[in-house]
Amino acid sequence: MDVQHVVITASHPLALPVGVTLDRYIMHRQTAFPYATGELSQLLRDIALAGKIIHREVNRAGLIDLTGGMGVQNVQGESQQKLDMIANIRFKRALTNGGEACAIISEEEEDIIYTGNNNGKYVVAMDPLDGSSNIDVNVSIGTIFSIYRRITPIGSEPTMADFLQGGRRQVAAGYILYGSSTIMVYTTGHSANGFTYDASLGEYILSHPDIHSPANGQIYSCNDGNIDGYEDGVRDYLTSCRRNQYTARYIGSLVADFHRNLLKGGIYLYPPTKKNKEGKLRLLYEAFPLAFLAEMAGCLATSGHQAVLDIKPTSLHQRTPLYIGSPVMVDNLVSLLK
Ligand code: AFP
């Protein structure tokens, strides 16, 4: 059954104030959907819970390494695994135990992961820990997730088709950034909201309601070392950024770069390069979810030739060029591309 969505912005009578917990917010939002069964709400809570566990692991990563170095393992035998593999295991476990997802795809794994919950209505695409080169050096990293309502019959085994529906079919998407604080930002298709994690309470608290990104910005984020491989239009755009004395900021963790630009105004670019002719970023795990969020917050996301959300996915690990951020900046860039 198609559900009538109710748009709730910060000024809507159903909107909740800064300071409410994520759980309460999710429950409250559910009341806006007359036919909601609570399954998507539960799935979001499962993801949030996995995020808390990753937050804990990230914050003691150095200590885990020490333990691993001593040849000691924890009860799950995981202490010597790299943090991105641990995050992958944690998320799979949370989503499998939660029962709402019938299948998962992960940037860390080649094939579909079947949860055994064939009655689950949803499938989840996730990058459990993006920015792996930053893990060992205490620099911000993040989890990205994307949720689709399955198109195969409930009760049957999910298939690739459930994951290849296209970005506009996402029912929810978001990220958890493990930075100077941990924040979960997500959308269910109407507004984008951010919840900062208070570890002392064990709760995510609404801190960034109804995010609207500035229409224009002065920050550009790309790997300058790849510039020789960029097409002329991208190089021209970067030249204009320098001429305008914009600020260059590149963390190398998409979630962190995206989050900063979302709040402050800016553009993130990962064009095709000599090494990655299709671009480096993954369509299903990185580009689709962030593009969905971006559009909710008033930003644009393009591959250079079309809106990211209009790209037809054909494989689970497909790559795409990505230009995402403030609409004026993205439009200026696109006007220079052939
Ligand atoms: P890793 O997880 O392999 O570090 O890749 C991170 C990422 O997908 C994205 O988060 C970064 O913005 C981008 O790749 C960094 O890529 P470069 O190191 O090529 O700039």
Side-chain angles (χ1 to χ4, degrees), residues 189-261:
H190 294 288
S191 60
N193 294 278
F195 299 81
T196 299
Y197 182 56
D198 182 335
S200 66
L201 297 175
E203 298 271 16
Y204 295 89
I205 310 285
L206 179 60
S207 52
H208 296 70
D210 198 15
I211 298 170
H212 285 279
S213 192
N216 202 353
Q218 302 212 329
I219 299 172
Y220 65 105
S221 312
C222 69
N223 187 337
D224 199 62
N226 291 332
I227 197 161
D228 282 352
Y230 294 166
E231 61 185 284
D232 289 347
V234 175
R235 285 211 295 261
D236 292 345
Y237 181 73
L238 294 176
T239 302
S240 76
C241 289
R242 293 186 191 110
R243 197 178 304 123
N244 288 318
Q245 297 189 324
Y246 286 178
T247 297
R249 289 282 182 274
Y250 188 67
I251 296 170
S253 286
L254 173 59
V255 173
D257 281 311
F258 175 80
H259 182 71
R260 182 202 50 244
N261 294 353

Side-chain angles (χ1 to χ4, degrees), residues 275-322:
K275 188 172 155 207
N276 295 299
K277 299 210 174 335
E278 306 296 319
K280 177 187 177 193
L281 302 179
R282 311 280 183 159
L283 182 60
L284 269 62
Y285 309 102
E286 295 170 309
F288 270 168
L290 294 190
F292 191 51
L293 250 180
E295 288 200 3
M296 291 306 136
C299 295
L300 290 177
T302 172
S303 67
H305 303 289
Q306 65 184 139
V308 166
L309 293 178
D310 290 331
I311 299 173
K312 177 86 193 95
T314 52
S315 65
L316 297 183
H317 293 277
Q318 188 171 335
R319 295 176 194 267
T320 179
L322 179 65

Side-chain angles (χ1 to χ4, degrees), residues 118-132:
N118 282 352
N119 288 326
K121 272 191 203 158
Y122 296 99
V123 297
V124 179
M126 61 170 186
D127 186 348
L129 213 47
D130 187 54
S132 39

